[in-house]
Amino acid sequence: MSDLLDVAGLNAAYGASQVLHDIALRMSAGEVILLLGRNGAGKTTLMKALMGLVSLRGGSIRLNGTDIAGKQSYEIARLGIGLVPEDRRMFAHLTVAENLQLGAKPGADGRTGWNFERVFQLFPDLRNLQGRKAGNLSGGQQQMVAVARTLLGNPDLVLLDEPGEGLAPVIVEQMANQLGVLRREGLSMIISEQNLSFARKLADRAYILESGYIRHSGTLAELDANPDAWTRYIAF
Ligand code: ATP
């Protein structure tokens, strides 16, 4: 099977300061990959680089065989990557329905076919919140809107930047269950996290970032057999 995503030799910088170094990452369609690393390791920057939101200093990013490195983020979105950003990027003065509408795009091949009805099945709480201003929602409700809005863009690959960040444990567990549903449906996802407990049940493989380098990668079982990888680079 050909790769959904194949990243090679990727470097990225903010102005003069290089933040990502020689990143290599591959995944097949239907896989769920964790991007692990402490605060400042480069997880957000890597997601932004995949989405065309930071300037690259070389390397390639192949999505379904097409090199998307250097393309504008709207083109990358059209080609099939959706980002759920860490800060959720709600339009606070717009309603939930309006925020969701902003993400909507028909499925390119009609296969995934996310629509309002389907996102309300996944996030039943959103149905009754449609008329509420997004700025008045709780953090957990905003996160549901952010994920639902991205799904409505019918991406082939969803990037979730610390989806459990700042949420109460019970809400984190609920979100993990909802992401588990997406996984079982075959959605390809990259999930970044600082700690492992939230995401480990969801993932096939993990990449561990530190100081902008990938230090380890492998299945969770492989990484479990290498405790040094966990203790040096991951917060529990
Ligand atoms: P966090 O958990 O804080 O989101 P992270 O693993 O996502 O951490 P990044 O946000 O990608 O890490 O940050 C990687 C490095 O890039 C850090 O050293 C950070 O200070 C730096 N950095 C992030 N954003 C910028 C920016 N806009 N300008 C300059 N440097 C930045």
Side-chain angles (χ1 to χ4, degrees):
M1 190 164 50
S2 66
D3 290 323
L4 170 68
L5 186 71
D6 181 356
V7 178
L10 189 70
N11 296 306
Y14 294 108
S17 108
Q18 186 167 344
V19 172
L20 295 180
H21 305 268
D22 200 25
I23 299 290
L25 182 153
R26 293 173 81 156
M27 67 188 286
S28 306
E31 271 198 300
V32 177
I33 299 294
L34 293 187
L35 216 51
L36 298 169
R38 295 205 167 96
N39 211 340
K43 305 178 298 296
T44 298
T45 307
L46 178 50
M47 291 198 164
K48 285 183 172 170
L50 297 177
M51 202 67 225
L53 295 168
V54 293
S55 58
L56 304 182
R57 295 275 178 81
S60 64
I61 305 172
R62 293 191 166 275
L63 178 71
N64 290 317
T66 302
D67 194 354
I68 60 168
K71 288 194 189 295
Q72 300 286 320
S73 56
Y74 73 88
E75 290 178 272
I76 294 172
R78 205 172 53 210
L79 287 166
I81 303 186
L83 171 67
V84 181
E86 196 172 12
D87 59 8
R88 300 173 193 131
R89 290 288 160 90
M90 291 293 100
F91 291 92
H93 58 290
L94 298 183
T95 64
V96 167
E98 287 165 339
N99 270 278
L100 292 177
Q101 196 62 50
L102 287 171
K105 181 185 93 178
D109 60 3
R111 181 173 49 85
T112 49
W114 283 96
N115 53 33
F116 271 49
E117 191 47 42
R118 227 180 125 200
V119 297
F120 293 149
Q121 280 167 17
L122 183 66
F123 299 114
D125 294 354
L126 290 187
R127 196 185 292 276
N128 295 327
L129 293 172
Q130 284 177 78
R132 287 267 290 276
K133 291 267 192 285
N136 296 334
L137 301 180
S138 69
Q141 290 167 335
Q142 289 195 1
Q143 187 62 287
M144 285 190 268
V145 175
V147 175
R149 183 179 59 190
T150 299
L151 292 173
L152 286 166
N154 282 292
D156 293 333
L157 170 62
V158 176
L159 313 178
L160 293 127
D161 196 358
E162 299 198 33
E165 164 112 331
L167 305 181
V170 59
I171 307 295
V172 169
E173 198 180 319
Q174 191 182 323
M175 179 57 66
N177 289 336
Q178 283 149 338
L179 297 180
V181 171
L182 296 175
R183 181 200 179 168
R184 286 191 292 281
E185 290 182 1
L187 185 68
S188 309
M189 294 183 273
I190 301 180
I191 303 172
S192 84
E193 271 304 320
Q194 289 194 41
N195 75 46
L196 194 55
S197 48
F198 164 65
R200 79 166 291 144
K201 287 192 292 262
L202 292 169
D204 299 296
R205 290 188 295 122
Y207 288 81
I208 300 180
L209 274 169
E210 191 247 355
S211 302
Y213 290 88
I214 289 178
R215 303 293 190 190
H216 290 278
S217 65
T219 62
L220 291 179
E222 282 163 355
L223 292 168
D224 279 338
N226 182 357
D228 183 55
W230 291 147
T231 48
R232 277 180 69 182
Y233 304 123
I234 307 293
F236 281 89

